[in-house]
Amino acid sequence: MDAVRVALLREVLAGTEWPGATRRFALTLRGSVVPHGGGLLLVGTSAYEPWHLAAHLVDEAAWSGTPELRPTLVRHRVRPGDPAHLSVGLGRIEAARRGETLLVVAPDDPCGGLLERIHDARRAGATVLALESGDRDLHRLAHEALTVPEEPELDLDTVQHLVSAAAGENSLPAPAPRGRRSFRDRLSRLADQLTEPPPARW
C-alpha cells in the first residue's frame, strides 16, 4: 500500500483510536529492533501466514534506511525446494534469544504448540509483540499487543498496513530511554528474569 493510500486510510479513520494505536504499536516495534540486534522474526498461525506484512516491512526497511525492520518470515510448513527466505520453520522461534523481537500476527486462535514456543522465546529474553483478534493467552504472553476486533470498517489486514507504514516513518519519535520505562514494563521485565532458565554451565 503506497503512502497516498495510507494517508487516505488514516483520514477515513480520523477520530477513531486506530491512527494513534497503530502508531504507538509501530513505535514499540521500531524501538525493539535496534541496530545490530538479533533481528525481527514474523510468524502467523497455522491457518494464516503474514507474507503480505513481511513484504511491506521489507519495503519500509529499504525506504527508511532501517534494515533492522526487515523480518525473517517463520512458517508453519516448509516444503522441500522452497527458496531460502521461505524456508525458515518454527524451530527458529525456539532458538530466539535476548535482543531479538518476535512479532506474532493472529487473526485466528494460535495453536497450543505455537503458544508454547512463544512462551519459551519470551523466557529466553526475546521481545514478543502481537497483532491479534482477541486471544487472551497470546495477549498475556506479549510484551505489547494490539487487539483488532473484526468490524465492518476495519480488519487485521488494514491494521497491518497502518503499522508497517508507521514503522517505516522517520518522523516517529525516539523510544523512551530505559530509565523511563513504565511500571508495567518494569514488572514484566522482573517476571521474565525470575522465570528465566539458569545459565548453561561452561
Side-chain angles (χ1 to χ4, degrees):
M1 183 176 286
D2 59 40
V4 173
R5 290 180 182 175
V6 169
L8 288 172
L9 185 55
R10 287 175 178 160
E11 186 175 328
V12 168
L13 294 172
T16 72
E17 65 178 300
W18 295 108
T22 52
R23 282 183 184 275
R24 285 190 296 273
F25 189 87
L27 175 59
T28 301
L29 172 61
R30 181 82 170 253
S32 71
V33 289
V34 296
H36 314 298
L40 173 62
L41 305 176
L42 175 63
V43 68
T45 64
S46 59
Y48 179 83
E49 191 166 82
W51 61 267
H52 204 171
L53 177 58
H56 280 296
L57 286 171
V58 167
D59 289 342
E60 294 296 341
W63 294 334
S64 65
T66 314
E68 54 270 21
L69 273 177
R70 184 184 181 96
T72 296
L73 180 62
V74 178
R75 308 180 70 199
H76 287 253
R77 290 172 293 279
V78 176
R79 296 170 298 184
D82 282 342
H85 69 287
L86 297 177
S87 298
V88 180
L90 291 174
R92 180 63 183 86
I93 298 177
E94 297 169 11
R97 293 294 179 264
R98 188 173 310 283
E100 294 184 304
T101 298
L102 174 61
L103 175 56
V104 185
V105 182
D108 55 277
D109 293 339
C111 63
L114 177 60
L115 290 174
E116 290 172 11
R117 287 181 168 93
I118 295 168
H119 179 262
D120 291 344
R122 176 171 172 142
R123 286 190 63 191
T127 298
V128 177
L129 307 178
L131 291 171
E132 42 83 21
S133 58
D135 186 87
R136 293 180 180 178
D137 292 330
L138 177 56
H139 194 95
R140 282 194 294 264
L141 277 176
H143 291 92
E144 187 74 29
L146 182 57
T147 302
V148 185
E150 281 296 327
E151 299 175 354
E153 66 276 7
L154 189 76
D155 58 18
L156 194 60
D157 284 337
T158 301
V159 169
Q160 289 178 68
H161 285 303
L162 292 172
V163 167
S164 61
E169 290 175 353
N170 288 320
S171 59
L172 274 176
R178 290 185 180 271
R180 295 173 56 193
R181 284 179 163 178
S182 71
F183 174 75
R184 180 182 172 198
D185 289 340
R186 285 181 275 131
L187 188 61
S188 174
R189 178 79 185 107
L190 176 62
D192 288 346
Q193 288 175 335
L194 293 175
T195 58
E196 279 179 7
R201 298 187 66 178
W202 50 275

